[in-house]
Each structure stands twice: as structure tokens, then as C-alpha cells.
Amino acid sequence: EFQFPFSMFQYENELNMVWGISFGRMIHRLQETVQWPGKEKSVPVMMLPLGILKGLSNIPTANQLELVPYFLAGGSDGLDTDLGIDVRYGLTSKTIVKATFNPDFGQVEADPSVLNLTAFETFYEEKRPFFSEGSDFFSQRINLFNSRRIGKRPNFYIPDESEIDGLSNYTTILGASKIMGSTTSNINYGIISAITKEERATIDDSLSVRTIIVEPRANYSIGRFEFPIFNTISKVGFMGTNVIRENSLGANVIGGDWNLSFLNNRLFSNGQIIRSNVDNTIGNAFRFNIGYLNSDWWSARAWFGTYDDKFDINDLGFIRRNNITWSGVRLALRRQEPWGHFINNDLEFKYTQDWNGSGLVLDREVEIEQNNLFSNYWRAGFFGKLFLPGFNDDDVFRDDNAWIYKTELWGYVGPSFSTDRRKKIIIGADVGSGYGEKRGRGYRANLWMKAKPIEPLNIEINAMQDRSPSYMQWVDIMENVNDTIRVYANTVLLTKDINMRLDWTFSPRLTFQCYMQPFYANMDYKAFFRLKKPKTMELDTYNYLGSAENENPDFRLFNTVGTFVLRWEYLPGSTMYLVYNLNQRSDYNFSDRVWNLEKENAVYFKINYWLKY
């Protein structure tokens, strides 16, 4: 027996309402799924005609206003305190308003450690509840809204040639609000607004020491509207974002998108048309995707997209780079009915190609993946990827004097397996080996385990070791009076990464969550070269370390991040958190042969109280 408060649902209160309803149950020990209304196993789509629920009339209006004030105490160097409040209000039965003032996200899981040696930014997933709830409505392949931009580390104005002190790890969010709902004509909408505080830091540029604004006060606005078209599943949408910073021209983006389905969801298409305007510079982007899904044994998909060289959405969205066009095709084959020793099988082929604005082919990749689920619920398969020769222009985004260079043919292949997913302990592995004539041999081994020793305890461990060689690792550009030297190196990067999670439910109201990640990286620069000509792989040996001005770029680092959260719901909707944030970074000093350790560990206590009117 289940009880659901009507305040959970969005509906138009009227006489003799008719709701759609479906039921599902997963029987883990049998690996069986029971559904009503039922569907054939060969039908992979999720959205099917629902059952009918009648007899709902004159439902009393639920309480519309919810307030959750919080108090926070803790820190890393001393005791800091803070106050804030979250608000939820039902404007109508189909529209919800949420707001947060001086929000705190101390109980949110830490970001994983990564090593990024490219010219491009690393993408991190959103984990803050205020922004992650309902985020699917704003999510698109070209990501116009990356909520991690709001409250990011201040970096709008950071002088290049100066030392900076007192730079905060985040920009303070003064407040944020969100409205999400739908109309009686099935038009869905969502609007988000946020205001961040001005952030300052102290710089020393050898001439003076002064305080400057590193992140101006900013207003962020996001809106999206979605309309039904043709049928009940097909949608078209319009989305816009706007960033207004004090004493800045600002940035705005507007785009249209579609998601169309025909022939009972077998034929589908989706895409986007977008225009960006950053400091009065206009950029454009477009993507198109079309596919066909045979319900019995195959599916096919093709896609095409492009960014021009002025397209920029990174004030509030996310793209790694612009000035690129991409396309690809995918063919998937599957058998979903049991036969012999198999429960199901699938095989996927994929070909993708990228080229830059001048038409130069950057990447051509051929990928294959195959998986089998056996009657004992073990899984086994293999994967492989082949990178065909092309060109690399990534370093042009790092330095205007950099050259495009040619890339070699290389690839990797390997097996994967996992044990019976019905058991209390499940073990799996993906092990791949790669080779290129110039880069040499590498490997990647990923081992994982899921354990449930007792019913309320879940443990996950994922351990990875990767050896990645490179024959064209960026080092430096040396500018002399009569020469510009583009320096590259043969390198071997060894990384070791362990992700550990633990969830322990002591009772429905008392839980403990743990996430921890030790991360090790060792970069060995073996030999240095200069690139002789653009768009080639022609290299000459270069004595980069022969100059006293140049240091050996070898490095080792060992980071450990983690979040440990004890959560107690002492009253319905009201919670206490005890949080320990682990953040330790260390790098190896080759001269002194010692590790330099930095710690930013912190302990927090947070309590909130749920009020409903």
C-alpha cells in the first residue's frame, strides 16, 4: 500500500478528472520486470498508452507555501556561521515556484579529480539539488544552460602577469528562483533567475599591491518553453539565456529545438538552431539528428552539426570549442528474445567525423561494441575504436602562434565482463590495449565491484589504471629574434584512479553517505622535438632542457577528495547534516624528492526546519 500526497502532482482540479497511470515492479532475485499496462519485450520505448484512473473529483487544494530555513556552522580554518532559506510555492496546481536565498551546498558530493592537459575546459556535472531538480527540461545536446556557471570560481578578470591572493573558490549566490509548470493546452515552461555577488581579490603586479574586482555582480536568466506539435509526443521548444554583469556588455543566447516522433515512435528526429551574442559578436550553431527504431532487432541513426568560429555560449552554457563541424552514423543490431545460452545480445557500429571551419578533417573514428547477457546473468563482450589519420588544431586555441599538425593511425581494443547481477557481490572489468606506430603501446584497465553485504548497505568501488603514451604532447612555444620554435614531446602518462561510494540506511530517517577518490598521476617527458612544418608529423630533435630558462616539465601529483555525510530527518521534512569534506592535494618536488601537501579539509553542521502553510 502506498500513499502519495496530492501536492506532489500538477493537475487542473475539475470534476470527474481522468488520469493516466502505470505500475512497474522489479523482482531482483529473478531479474523480472512486471508492468501494467504490459508491452512486448521487443518494444524498447518507454512511453506507451497508460492505464486509466477515474473517480478523482473536488480534491482539496493542498498547502501551497513551504519554507525551509537553515543554519550552518563549520569551516576549514575556523568556525564560520551562515543562514539561508529555501522557499516553495504553488502558484497554481500546475505551476511551482522555488526560490533560495543565500543557499548552501556543503552537503553536496565533491567533484572528482581529473587531469586536463588540453586547451579546453573540463565539464563537471551539476550536483546541487536546487539546480539539478528539473534540469532535464533545459538539457540539450548543445548545452545552452550549464548551471555550474552560476557560483563558479571567480575568473571573469584575472590579470596574466601578476600574483593574486584571497581568491575565493566560488562566487557567492545571493539568491536564485525557478518557475516550472504547464498550461491546460500542454505547453511546458521553465524560468530560472539568479544573482551572484561581486568578488574581489588582491593582486601584486610588481608595481603595486591593490584590490581588484575579479568577478562583477551578475544576473543570470534562463527560460524555455515547449509546445506539442503533430501528436502528443512530438515537441518544439524555444530557449534563451542572458547574463548581465556590471560594467560589461553581457551575453545572450537564443535557440529553437525540436523532438519529433512518427510511426508509433519508430521514426524520430531532433535538433537545434542557435544564435549567440557575446559583446555584440554574433555566432551561429545548428544540429540535426534522424533515426529509425525497428522494434524487433535493429535501429539506425545519423547526425550532423556545426559551430561557426564566433559561436560562444560559455557565459552560461558549455561547449569545448567552436569552429567545428561534426557528423556520424550508428547502426545497432540486437536480439531481445532468449535463445541457447543467451538472454539477449547487441552489436553496435559507429562512424564519426569532425572537421574545422576551413574544411580540414580533424577526427575520423570507427567504433564497435558488442555485449551478451547469458542465461546465468553473467555479461561479456568486447569493444574497439580506430582513429584514422587526420589533423589536430587544438593547440591553436592555446596559442595564436601554434600550428596544426598531422595525426597518426592508432586504436585500442579489449574485452569486458561482469558477474551475476542478482548476487550480493557483483564484479566487472573493462580492459583495453592500444597501439600507434609513433606513440607506442598503452593500456587501460578498469575494475569495479558492487556489494550489498546486508540489505541497508551498498558499496561501490571502481579502480582504474591507465598508461597513455603520446608523440605530440604540447610543451611550449619559444620565440627568438629570427625563429619561432614549437616544442612537443614524447610522453607517457600513468594515472591511477579509485572511486569509492558507500550508502548505509540505518533507518528511513538516518542515513550515511560516503564518497572518496584517491587520484594519482605521473607524467614523464621522455624526449623533446620541434615541429618543422605545419600540417605534418615532421619533427627534429630539440634540446629543450639545454636552456637554463626551461625547467623539466615532468610532474607527479596525488589528490584525495571526499565527502562524508550523516543525515538525520529529525522531523518530517526537517533534517540535520554532519559533513566532513576531504580535499588534499600534493605534488612531487623532484629537486628535493619530497611531496608538498596542501589541505583544505572542512567540517560542517547544518540544520534546517520545514514549515508548511
Side-chain angles (χ1 to χ4, degrees):
E1 182 175 300
F2 296 90
Q3 293 184 5
F4 300 100
F6 281 106
S7 60
M8 290 178 56
F9 304 102
Q10 295 178 338
Y11 57 91
E12 193 70 28
N13 191 7
E14 55 190 25
L15 292 174
N16 301 318
M17 288 189 291
V18 177
W19 286 19
I21 191 167
S22 66
F23 299 92
R25 180 190 178 199
M26 176 63 184
I27 306 174
H28 182 77
R29 61 184 174 83
L30 300 176
Q31 289 296 294
E32 291 181 358
T33 301
V34 182
Q35 293 179 324
W36 183 87
K39 68 178 181 67
E40 296 180 15
K41 189 181 295 184
S42 61
V43 179
V45 295
M46 298 292 291
M47 292 302 297
L48 291 169
L50 300 175
I52 300 299
L53 175 63
K54 296 182 178 181
L56 301 176
S57 293
N58 296 321
I59 300 173
T61 303
N63 292 342
Q64 297 293 305
L65 178 62
E66 297 179 24
L67 304 175
V68 186
Y70 81 84
F71 169 76
L72 175 76
S76 55
D77 298 326
L79 180 63
D80 297 321
T81 59
D82 210 349
L83 295 170
I85 189 171
D86 296 332
V87 181
R88 182 184 185 274
Y89 182 70
L91 285 178
T92 69
S93 59
K94 286 192 171 184
T95 301
I96 299 297
V97 178
K98 292 184 178 181
T100 181
F101 300 95
N102 193 27
D104 168 72
F105 308 105
Q107 75 276 16
V108 174
E109 181 180 291
D111 288 323
S113 295
V114 296
L115 182 63
N116 185 355
L117 299 177
T118 72
F120 306 116
E121 180 184 7
T122 299
F123 177 80
Y124 291 101
E125 293 184 1
E126 180 60 83
K127 300 175 182 177
R128 300 170 295 181
F130 178 84
F131 293 108
S132 62
E133 292 173 2
S135 61
D136 287 349
F137 182 71
F138 300 93
S139 177
Q140 296 286 332
R141 168 64 175 78
I142 302 177
N143 190 2
L144 303 189
F145 177 42
N146 174 25
S147 55
R148 292 295 297 264
R149 301 292 186 201
I150 302 174
K152 66 181 181 0
R153 184 180 177 89
N155 66 349
F156 186 73
Y157 176 64
I158 303 291
D160 293 331
E161 303 298 329
S162 60
E163 294 185 4
I164 190 162
D165 187 39
L167 184 65
S168 173
N169 287 325
Y170 60 89
T171 301
T172 301
I173 301 175
L174 298 175
S177 62
K178 174 166 56 178
I179 302 175
M180 299 194 71
S182 60
T183 68
T184 54
S185 55
N186 293 323
I187 298 174
N188 301 318
Y189 55 88
I191 300 171
I192 298 176
S193 179
I195 302 174
T196 57
K197 181 183 176 182
E198 175 184 285
E199 299 289 344
R200 295 172 175 263
T202 302
I203 66 166
D204 183 354
D205 57 6
S206 74
L207 297 177
S208 63
V209 177
R210 65 188 190 278
T211 299
I212 64 167
I213 298 173
V214 291
E215 188 73 36
R217 182 186 177 97
N219 296 335
Y220 298 86
S221 302
I222 307 96
R224 184 167 188 269
F225 294 82
E226 187 180 72
F227 304 85
I229 187 173
F230 299 137
N231 51 49
T232 57
I233 297 176
S234 300
K235 306 280 186 181
V236 295
F238 298 93
M239 183 170 174
T241 68
N242 187 47
V243 181
I244 300 175
R245 298 183 179 92
E246 287 188 353
N247 303 318
S248 174
L249 291 177
N252 61 77
V253 178
I254 187 167
D257 58 83
W258 66 90
N259 195 335
L260 310 178
S261 295
F262 306 97
L263 304 178
N264 292 326
N265 293 333
R266 294 195 300 272
L267 179 65
F268 58 89
S269 173
N270 56 69
Q272 295 170 262
I273 301 174
I274 306 165
R275 168 163 287 198
S276 67
N277 184 346
V278 179
D279 296 336
N280 293 328
T281 300
I282 304 297
N284 297 285
F286 168 78
R287 75 170 183 89
F288 175 77
N289 187 323
I290 188 169
Y292 184 83
L293 178 64
N294 178 280
S295 60
D296 291 326
W297 65 277
W298 68 277
S299 64
R301 178 178 293 190
W303 57 88
F304 174 86
T306 185
Y307 307 135
D308 68 21
D309 60 349
K310 299 295 191 300
F311 184 67
D312 183 6
I313 60 173
N314 279 335
D315 285 86
L316 195 45
F318 185 91
I319 57 169
R320 293 185 71 248
R321 56 164 296 171
N322 56 19
N323 194 33
I324 192 171
T325 301
W326 70 92
S327 66
V329 293
R330 187 184 73 178
L331 175 64
L333 308 174
R334 64 185 184 276
R335 176 157 183 159
Q336 300 180 110
E337 295 295 335
W339 65 284
H341 296 291
F342 299 99
I343 295 177
N344 59 51
N345 319 85
D346 61 76
L347 175 65
E348 181 179 298
F349 302 92
K350 185 163 66 173
Y351 174 80
T352 58
Q353 179 170 311
D354 302 343
W355 55 94
N356 65 13
S358 61
L360 197 66
V361 175
L362 303 178
D363 293 307
R364 292 181 297 158
E365 302 174 7
V366 180
E367 189 173 356
I368 184 173
E369 185 172 347
Q370 201 277 325
N371 280 291
N372 308 284
L373 180 61
F374 296 94
S375 55
N376 62 358
Y377 285 95
W378 283 53
R379 184 180 293 275
F382 68 90
F383 56 89
K385 198 168 187 178
L386 186 65
F387 298 82
L388 301 174
F391 296 90
N392 189 311
D393 69 346
D394 290 357
D395 295 333
V396 175
F397 291 84
R398 194 193 310 263
D399 193 302
D400 291 338
N401 290 321
W403 279 345
I404 298 171
Y405 62 83
K406 193 173 182 180
T407 58
E408 67 169 342
L409 173 70
W410 72 284
Y412 60 80
V413 65
S416 63
F417 85 93
S418 61
T419 61
D420 188 344
R421 65 192 187 193
R422 299 170 297 179
K423 304 300 183 182
K424 290 185 177 294
I425 298 179
I426 311 169
I427 298 173
D430 307 288
V431 181
S433 177
Y435 175 76
E437 182 179 354
K438 291 183 176 295
R439 71 184 60 223
R441 297 187 181 277
Y443 66 84
R444 182 183 180 93
N446 188 61
L447 307 176
W448 56 268
M449 181 192 72
K450 295 181 179 180
K452 193 167 189 170
I454 56 176
E455 187 63 26
L457 176 61
N458 289 283
I459 302 172
E460 295 184 17
I461 301 176
N462 191 312
M464 181 275 295
Q465 181 165 306
D466 183 289
R467 183 184 187 274
S468 296
S470 172
Y471 73 101
M472 290 292 287
Q473 177 61 51
W474 166 273
V475 178
D476 201 356
I477 287 186
M478 313 289 294
E479 295 191 46
N480 300 322
V481 177
N482 300 316
D483 194 10
T484 299
I485 304 168
R486 295 151 185 93
V487 185
Y488 289 85
N490 292 159
T491 61
V492 174
L493 173 62
L494 179 67
T495 56
K496 300 178 181 181
D497 184 359
I498 301 176
N499 283 268
M500 296 176 285
R501 297 180 186 275
L502 183 149
D503 293 287
W504 199 329
T505 304
F506 301 107
S507 73
R509 292 190 174 185
L510 181 63
T511 62
F512 176 70
Q513 288 84 36
C514 162
Y515 166 74
M516 191 168 68
Q517 183 212 20
F519 179 85
Y520 171 82
N522 183 6
M523 185 69 155
D524 184 8
Y525 287 75
K526 292 184 172 298
F528 297 90
F529 304 91
R530 66 175 296 175
L531 182 60
K532 294 170 61 176
K533 299 178 183 177
K535 300 180 183 179
T536 71
M537 288 186 286
E538 298 181 25
L539 301 171
D540 274 345
T541 301
Y542 182 71
N543 187 16
Y544 178 75
L545 299 180
S547 172
E549 298 178 357
N550 300 327
E551 297 182 357
N552 190 335
D554 286 356
F555 65 84
R556 294 177 193 166
L557 59 87
F558 181 67
N559 297 343
T560 303
V561 298
T563 305
F564 306 83
V565 181
L566 182 65
R567 178 186 181 274
W568 177 36
E569 188 176 6
Y570 62 95
L571 290 173
S574 302
T575 52
M576 290 184 185
Y577 297 94
L578 183 61
V579 182
Y580 178 65
N581 288 327
L582 175 65
N583 191 346
Q584 297 184 171
R585 303 182 300 272
S586 56
D587 62 272
Y588 187 72
N589 186 314
F590 287 89
S591 300
D592 299 334
R593 297 184 179 181
V594 296
W595 287 90
N596 300 316
L597 176 63
E598 295 182 5
K599 296 182 179 181
E600 292 185 7
N601 305 330
V603 178
Y604 294 98
F605 170 77
K606 180 179 179 181
I607 183 171
N608 59 37
Y609 185 74
W610 182 54
L611 301 167
K612 191 169 185 179
Y613 299 96

